Amino acid sequence: MLIYFLDMFGTAVFAISGVLLAGRLRMDPFGIVVLASVTAIGGGTIRDMALGATPVFWITDTNYLWAIFITCLVAIVAIRKPRQMPWYFLPVADAIGLAVFVAIGVEKALRFGATPMVAVIMGVMTGCGGGVIRDVLAREIPMVLRTEVYATACILGGIVHTTALQLNADVNVATLAGIATTLTIRLAAIRWHLSLPTLAPRN
C-alpha cells in the first residue's frame, strides 16, 4: 500500500510538471490535460507496451487517470491564485516520484521475465519516458539529454535494486534500496547542483 500511495503521489507530481509547462506555453485546458497525462503515465505506458503487459496499467486501474484529472484542476486553480511556495518543494517531490517509478518499472520487468539489464532500462523508461514525451511535445530538449543528473540517478538506483535481488535480498529490501539510491543521488544533484560534463569542442 505504501508503494501504491507513493506511485499515486508521483503520478500527481509528474502531472503538475506537465501543467506548469503547458501553462508557460499558454495551452488551453485540453492541452494542459494532454501534457499532464503524457508526463504522468507516458513512461509506464511505453514500459507496459514493450513488456507486452496489456492492457496497460492505467486501463486496469483508472485511479491513475482520476489522479491526473484532479491534479490538473487543482493546479490550474493554484496557478491562477499563486501562493508563495518553497523553491525546493516541486524538485524534491519530483525526486520522490522518480525513485518510486524506477523501482516499480524494475519490479514489473522482472515479473515478466526480463534480465536485470532490461529491468534497469525499463526502470529508467518508467521514470524518464513521460518527461521525454512532454518535452518533445513542447519542442524542448528533454532533461535526460541535458547535463542534469536525472537519468543517471535512475540507472544507479535500478542497478542497486537488481543487484540486491541477485544477492538473494528480500524483495522489499531490494526495492527500498533501489528507491533510496535513486532518491539520494537525485536530491544530492538538486542540493549541490551536480551535473554531468558536456561533450563540446575545445576552442
Side-chain angles (χ1 to χ4, degrees):
M1 285 301 297
L2 176 60
I3 296 297
Y4 184 74
F5 171 78
L6 291 174
D7 191 20
M8 286 295 172
F9 175 78
T11 299
V13 171
F14 276 39
I16 291 174
S17 73
V19 172
L20 293 176
L21 181 56
R24 199 169 77 235
L25 297 176
R26 298 184 180 279
M27 292 186 176
D28 62 19
F30 179 75
I32 291 174
V33 172
V34 169
L35 215 58
S37 298
V38 298
T39 307
I41 59 177
T45 300
I46 297 173
R47 174 205 64 212
D48 283 2
M49 293 175 66
L51 294 173
T54 53
V56 296
F57 69 101
W58 52 267
I59 292 179
T60 57
D61 186 353
T62 55
N63 286 333
Y64 290 95
L65 299 180
W66 283 112
I68 293 170
F69 296 150
I70 293 172
T71 299
C72 287
L73 290 174
V74 173
I76 290 172
V77 172
I79 289 173
R80 292 183 178 276
K81 297 180 179 180
R83 295 180 180 178
Q84 193 67 27
M85 179 183 297
W87 68 267
Y88 54 81
F89 175 78
L90 283 178
V92 170
D94 179 89
I96 296 172
L98 179 71
V100 174
F101 277 17
V102 173
I104 290 173
V106 170
E107 275 300 316
K108 190 157 192 176
L110 292 174
R111 287 204 309 269
F112 275 77
T115 63
M117 179 181 291
V118 172
V120 172
I121 293 173
M122 291 296 109
V124 175
M125 188 177 296
T126 305
C128 302
V132 171
I133 299 172
R134 175 201 63 208
D135 292 344
V136 169
L137 290 176
R139 296 184 178 182
E140 294 188 355
I141 299 175
M143 183 162 51
V144 296
L145 301 181
R146 287 177 275 173
T147 59
E148 191 166 349
V149 177
Y150 199 85
T152 306
C154 300
I155 293 170
L156 294 176
I159 290 174
V160 168
H161 190 154
T162 54
T163 301
L165 289 174
Q166 288 184 308
L167 295 175
N168 296 319
D170 181 76
V171 174
N172 293 327
V173 173
T175 300
L176 291 175
I179 291 174
T181 301
T182 303
L183 182 59
T184 300
I185 295 173
R186 183 65 191 129
L187 291 178
I190 294 170
R191 172 64 179 82
W192 289 291
H193 306 287
L194 304 179
S195 61
L196 298 175
T198 59
L199 181 62
R202 295 181 178 178
N203 294 327

